[in-house]
Amino acid sequence: MQLKHLAFAIALALPMATMAAPKSGIDKQNFDKSVRIQDDLYAAVNGGWERKTEIPADKASWGAFHELRDLSEKRTREIIEGAAKLKGHEAKQVADFYASFMDAAKVEERGVMPLKPMLSNFARVPDTAEMTKLWGNLQQMGIPLPFVFFVDQDSKDSTRYQLQVYQSGLGLPDRDYYLEKDERFAKARDAYREYLKTLLTLSGIARDDADARADSVMALETKLATAQWSKVDNRNPEKTYNKYDREGLKTFAPGIDWDALLKASLAGDVSDINIYQPSYITEVGLLMSSEPIATWRDYLSIRALDRHAPHLSKAFVDAHFNFHEKTIAGAKELRPRWKRGVEVVENNLGEAIGKLYVEKHFPAASKKKMEVLVSNLMKAFDESIDNLAWMSPETRKQAKVKLANYGVKIGYPNKWRDYSGLQVRADDLVGNVVRGSIFEYRERIGRIGKPIDREEWLMTPQTVNAYYNPSMNEIVFPAAILQPPFFDPKADDAVNYGGIGAVIGHEISHGFDDQGSQFDAHGNLKNWWVDSDRTAFSNLTEKLVAQYAKYEPIAGRFVNGKLTLGENIADLSGLQIAHKAYRLSLGGKPAPVLDGFTGDQRFFIGFAQVWRNKTREERLLQLLTTDPHSPAHVRPVGAAVNSDAFVSAFGVKEGDGMFKPENERIRIW
């Protein structure tokens, strides 16, 4: 689990610079000719696509990202299904795990029985003392309790691993779903109560009193939600760094028997812990003793049932779908079983699949192209730092040191994970999932006291995504992002720089957004800024907060400018840096006109078209509440409106929808 700052982006690969007669890489069929680019870049480039595109029934969103994910998913399915014909222990693990999920008849026959021992154990918990030990044991099993343990680098000493504690344990997507009066949240709360009732009834835990017991669990979760920190507060790395030694733990949260809890969680020897949300943990300690033990028993049962409902019989699968995917996200149909099976196997044996994926779908040439492009973007960012009018020479020097120390990982790990310690059985789905969670937890907890593994990847090669890790000060691009529909080897440089260039620039910029900029060149949470420069930076970012807070994707719900600030900085800066890199790539020569567009115009169109997306309203509400990214249709508009190059490329003038006076345009990096 990466809770510090895992940035989302899709990257595109660089075409060959010497290619003869390239095509533009622009799909005009997706344009909306009734909208001018000068008025709305996103709608003009993607409006036609939106009109002719329907979101698949089993999805809550659909767009360019999802098309690529679907391709990766199909390729992964072929690899998983082919594993049964391969020799070797890992191939057998992959094949057996998938077989355990795909044997629908056996899963149906067993119903809830695989969870009965666990549920019976919960029902016998006599008091808070025994419940505390149980919570420690359950940390290993991937069940979301009121708080979860995980191991990550110490934010202020990136050379060591540290046990971390983070708030968790809610069945609804976020605290706001429990606390806000918005009728859409009220509808979600009503659906959740019904879901709780269904789980209690289907499992046989409750009969005539299912309503009352569901209400008790709902009331308990509401108390947890009331005490939890907001998504905005959780973005503050200084505020969420609260290091306690063993005695300190007992002082700030005396309601928790820390010695018993840590021993049961296999962390009995740890000397210190970082608590992300101390006030919340204090409140949980009070609730452990003040709430009836019977309510806590039902709560634990609910959390286990919800976690494993997708791995049980059809009645549980349908209940889970109806609440999580249909009510909360708006999907119309359950995903096919093979897709759900692929997801489960990937979650537990991701790099075992990744090895085979890379062999089959990641040519060495793609990695080389990516290395060239990343190098070009890094040079452009370095030059941009030199020209920052708002930054002093002292801070500028430190910024360049940080950039020079960036690590870059492309495609796949140099060292693959060893899954030999994970037991997998072809006839035990729930057991496989539980053992997979225990295997992962114990591997992580065993890192405490050992050197940092700098070869580790937080994503698999087949993942369509990318990230910046502040404690490692590195940017990472898995193999699956280096392919169509985003990478077109036959397209000209402008569109690819507008696509992958902006996104790689996005990831580079995360090291200098409002969160990443608080970490130094070695990945430590440490102030390397002159105070006046930090003030100037904050003044700029406040303007960005205000800009995005005006966007209203659905009636009555605006973009949270503070929650999305880091991603908005990265979008804005990534676009600016990518454009500089594109211009540098021309070597002083003019770009050709293709499909009636100049090079600069194609650059911005390329940027806009990778964000084409349609999202159901239920899912959009969820994202506006929980996601640190702005909605897809906002991202190209919010960034381009601040670009002098965009204004120049399309002759944007006062009165146009995309016009912003020059003195109001936000330029950060």
Side-chain angles (χ1 to χ4, degrees):
M1 184 183 297
Q2 176 73 5
L3 292 167
K4 287 179 182 173
H5 186 71
L6 194 54
F8 169 80
I10 304 298
L12 306 147
L14 177 68
M16 296 180 67
T18 58
M19 193 183 310
K23 66 178 182 179
S24 72
I26 292 171
D27 191 344
K28 285 187 173 181
Q29 293 183 356
N30 290 334
F31 282 28
D32 183 344
K33 295 181 180 179
S34 69
V35 180
R36 299 167 65 243
I37 288 178
Q38 294 89 336
D39 290 324
D40 188 330
L41 173 61
Y42 175 88
V45 173
N46 300 309
W49 174 86
E50 284 202 0
R51 277 200 305 270
K52 66 187 179 185
T53 301
E54 293 292 331
I55 302 173
D58 66 340
K59 296 187 183 298
S61 301
W62 184 251
F65 300 165
H66 306 87
E67 292 168 14
L68 187 50
R69 288 182 185 136
D70 260 22
L71 174 61
S72 183
E73 188 176 54
K74 290 172 183 175
R75 288 174 169 176
T76 301
R77 179 191 187 183
E78 292 175 359
I79 289 168
I80 291 174
E81 292 181 345
K85 301 174 184 177
L86 300 177
K87 295 180 179 179
H89 182 63
E90 275 192 353
K92 188 175 189 309
Q93 286 176 305
V94 169
D96 286 352
F97 213 126
Y98 189 63
S100 72
F101 190 93
M102 295 305 292
D103 191 347
K106 185 175 288 294
V107 172
E108 189 66 28
E109 175 188 339
R110 290 184 173 178
V112 75
M113 289 304 296
L115 280 189
K116 280 295 186 181
M118 188 184 296
L119 298 176
S120 297
N121 192 25
F122 296 166
R124 291 193 297 268
V125 175
D127 52 33
T128 302
E130 289 303 312
M131 185 175 71
T132 301
K133 297 176 185 176
L134 181 60
W135 280 21
N137 185 261
L138 290 175
Q139 291 292 336
Q140 304 178 58
M141 299 185 187
I143 295 173
L145 302 170
F147 53 79
V148 293
F149 289 172
F150 68 101
V151 174
D152 205 344
Q153 286 165 271
D154 185 332
S155 290
K156 294 193 175 182
D157 182 0
S158 62
T159 65
R160 68 186 291 265
Y161 287 114
Q162 183 183 44
L163 186 65
Q164 317 271 341
V165 179
Y166 200 91
Q167 68 185 27
S168 182
L170 302 181
L172 286 163
D174 184 70
R175 66 191 295 272
D176 290 354
Y177 275 75
Y178 293 84
L179 307 178
E180 286 200 21
K181 294 181 179 180
D182 188 308
E183 66 177 54
R184 288 166 289 204
F185 287 140
K187 177 183 175 183
R189 288 193 290 271
D190 290 342
Y192 185 50
R193 285 191 186 91
E194 288 302 311
Y195 178 54
L196 295 180
K197 247 175 62 178
T198 300
L199 291 180
L200 290 168
T201 304
L202 283 175
S203 63
I205 293 173
R207 299 298 182 187
D208 298 335
D209 58 348
D211 276 299
R213 293 169 75 167
D215 285 343
S216 294
V217 172
M218 185 70 179
L220 172 58
E221 289 191 25
T222 302
K223 292 176 182 177
L224 293 173
T226 302
Q228 286 196 354
W229 290 19
S230 71
K231 286 283 192 294
V232 172
D233 285 338
N234 288 330
R235 291 191 70 254
N236 187 325
E238 278 288 355
K239 191 172 184 177
T240 54
Y241 186 83
N242 305 281
K243 184 176 177 178
Y244 293 89
D245 61 18
R246 296 293 288 267
E247 290 305 311
L249 289 172
K250 299 171 185 177
T251 300
F252 99 94
I256 300 174
D257 184 344
W258 288 98
D259 288 337
L261 179 67
L262 291 169
K263 182 179 179 181
S265 65
L266 306 182
D269 295 332
V270 299
S271 59
D272 58 80
I273 300 178
N274 180 53
I275 307 290
Y276 272 70
Q277 303 91 5
S279 62
Y280 169 74
I281 301 301
T282 300
E283 182 62 22
V284 171
L286 297 174
L287 290 172
M288 288 177 75
S289 56
S290 66
E291 291 297 300
I293 194 67
T295 301
W296 280 117
R297 291 188 197 117
D298 285 346
Y299 169 84
L300 292 175
S301 297
I302 289 293
R303 295 277 61 82
L305 287 164
D306 182 49
R307 161 84 166 103
H308 288 289
H311 317 132
L312 301 176
S313 54
K314 185 176 184 300
F316 286 95
V317 172
D318 289 346
H320 187 275
F321 165 77
N322 286 332
F323 172 66
H324 288 286
E325 279 82 38
K326 189 174 184 179
T327 298
I328 297 299
K332 306 302 181 185
E333 293 179 4
L334 181 67
R335 287 182 299 157
R337 191 169 191 91
W338 73 263
K339 290 188 176 185
R340 291 177 280 133
V342 164
E343 180 182 20
V344 169
V345 180
E346 282 202 286
N347 286 343
N348 290 276
L349 291 160
E351 285 194 16
I353 298 166
K355 264 192 280 192
L356 300 172
Y357 182 94
V358 168
E359 290 175 7
K360 193 170 184 179
H361 299 295
F362 189 59
S366 293
K367 186 168 185 172
K368 290 181 180 178
K369 292 174 186 176
M370 191 69 171
E371 288 170 347
V372 171
L373 187 54
V374 171
S375 177
N376 291 345
L377 267 292
M378 293 287 280
K379 290 176 184 176
F381 202 101
D382 187 73
E383 291 183 12
S384 181
I385 292 174
D386 284 331
N387 298 315
L388 292 176
W390 56 270
M391 181 174 279
S392 69
E394 185 178 345
T395 304
R396 182 180 292 116
K397 179 181 178 181
Q398 295 303 316
K400 290 171 74 71
V401 169
K402 178 169 184 176
L403 185 67
N405 277 275
Y406 263 41
V408 180
K409 294 176 179 175
I410 298 172
Y412 53 89
N414 293 323
K415 180 184 69 177
W416 297 99
R417 287 198 65 179
D418 177 8
Y419 294 101
S420 59
L422 174 59
Q423 181 190 9
V424 179
R425 291 172 44 189
D427 61 350
D428 186 14
L429 173 58
V430 171
N432 289 337
V433 173
V434 171
R435 287 188 292 273
S437 295
I438 293 173
F439 174 81
E440 178 69 21
Y441 179 88
R442 291 184 177 181
E443 193 277 334
R444 299 294 304 184
I445 210 79
R447 295 185 177 198
I448 297 176
K450 296 179 180 178
I452 298 298
D453 180 5
R454 299 198 173 274
E455 298 297 326
E456 180 188 21
W457 280 53
L458 303 178
M459 291 179 179
T460 65
Q462 65 272 24
T463 301
V464 182
N465 211 325
Y467 66 90
Y468 169 75
N469 183 342
S471 291
M472 290 285 197
N473 193 30
E474 65 181 7
I475 48 177
V476 185
F477 302 93
I481 62 176
L482 308 178
Q483 56 186 335
F486 301 108
F487 165 44
D488 187 346
K490 298 179 182 179
D492 83 302
D493 280 0
V495 168
N496 284 291
Y497 269 97
I500 190 175
V503 174
I504 293 175
H506 172 109
E507 297 305 336
I508 294 171
S509 300
H510 269 310
F512 299 90
D513 69 15
D514 63 311
Q515 290 177 294
S517 64
Q518 297 184 58
F519 291 80
D520 68 11
H522 304 292
N524 294 309
L525 183 57
K526 181 181 179 181
N527 183 26
W528 48 271
W529 292 66
V530 172
D531 289 345
S532 58
D533 291 334
R534 176 59 75 176
T535 299
F537 177 77
S538 297
N539 289 339
L540 287 170
T541 60
E542 282 301 315
K543 292 179 181 178
L544 205 61
V545 168
Q547 174 190 324
Y548 280 81
K550 294 177 182 177
Y551 297 125
E552 186 180 9
I554 54 178
R557 304 298 300 189
F558 293 83
V559 173
N560 186 333
K562 292 183 178 180
L563 174 61
T564 59
L565 178 58
E567 299 298 333
N568 297 336
I569 292 172
D571 280 346
L572 170 62
S573 302
L575 180 66
Q576 304 279 40
I577 299 305
H579 183 260
K580 291 178 183 178
Y582 168 60
R583 296 305 295 268
L584 288 172
S585 76
L586 295 174
K589 298 178 181 179
V593 174
L594 299 173
D595 277 352
F597 296 108
T598 67
D600 277 4
Q601 289 174 335
R602 294 195 304 278
F603 171 86
F604 288 103
I605 292 171
F607 177 62
Q609 68 185 10
V610 303
W611 293 110
R612 64 178 182 265
N613 177 274
K614 290 185 74 170
T615 302
R616 302 188 194 278
E617 183 170 319
E618 297 91 338
R619 174 64 171 161
L620 190 51
L621 175 65
Q622 181 183 10
L623 294 175
L624 287 169
T625 306
T626 64
D627 191 2
H629 305 84
S630 293
H633 67 278
V634 169
R635 297 179 73 168
V637 172
V641 77
N642 290 298
S643 169
D644 298 335
F646 173 76
V647 171
S648 177
F650 292 99
V652 181
K653 60 184 185 299
E654 189 171 359
D656 293 338
M658 293 285 294
F659 178 76
K660 196 174 189 179
E662 184 175 359
N663 63 349
E664 295 180 13
R665 293 172 203 157
I666 304 167
R667 305 170 183 88
I668 300 179
W669 294 102

